Amino acid sequence: MSEPLDTGLSSDVEAALFRLLFDNPQVGVLVVRDPGLVERANPAFCQLLGYEPEELRGKHLLDLTAPEDQEACDAMLRGELPSHPYLHMEKRYVHK
């Protein structure tokens, strides 16, 4: 994965913005750590896929990805897709 994007904002402001996004009930957010394991998901993402938060924690992102999108998702996780200044990717997920 690439280095985090330097926003020029203080860490407190970045944390507050992340909290606003993560807690937004209309936007599904998934936090994934290397090597593709789910660290946490907000309620909107859980509802989207039919999981409880604790069911998603520790799952691999590829296990949640539609078979048609797994190759591209795996390439993203390996850092093989251009991502400067950010990565844009449309992908499908598998509902529980």
Side-chain angles (χ1 to χ4, degrees):
M1 290 276 167
S2 60
E3 291 297 315
L5 183 63
D6 181 10
T7 62
L9 301 172
S10 73
S11 59
D12 290 342
V13 171
E14 283 185 353
L17 288 173
F18 176 79
R19 179 62 35 212
L20 282 171
L21 173 65
F22 195 80
D23 291 341
N24 184 333
Q26 298 175 0
V27 178
V29 178
L30 187 65
V31 177
V32 178
R33 66 177 187 268
D34 285 336
L37 300 177
V38 174
E39 187 169 305
R40 60 190 208 190
N42 74 345
F45 192 90
C46 292
Q47 184 178 16
L48 183 69
L49 293 182
Y51 285 92
E52 294 296 321
E54 57 275 0
E55 292 178 290
L56 286 173
R57 199 168 297 116
K59 270 197 169 304
H60 197 279
L61 185 59
L62 291 176
D63 294 333
L64 304 171
T65 301
E68 306 85 26
D69 296 338
Q70 286 184 352
E71 188 175 327
C73 182
D74 193 38
M76 175 201 60
L77 290 171
R78 290 191 311 265
E80 296 175 0
L81 299 179
S83 60
H84 298 287
Y86 58 87
L87 173 68
H88 174 83
M89 172 187 241
E90 290 185 27
K91 65 189 291 308
R92 294 163 282 196
Y93 291 95
V94 179
H95 193 277
K96 179 178 173 185

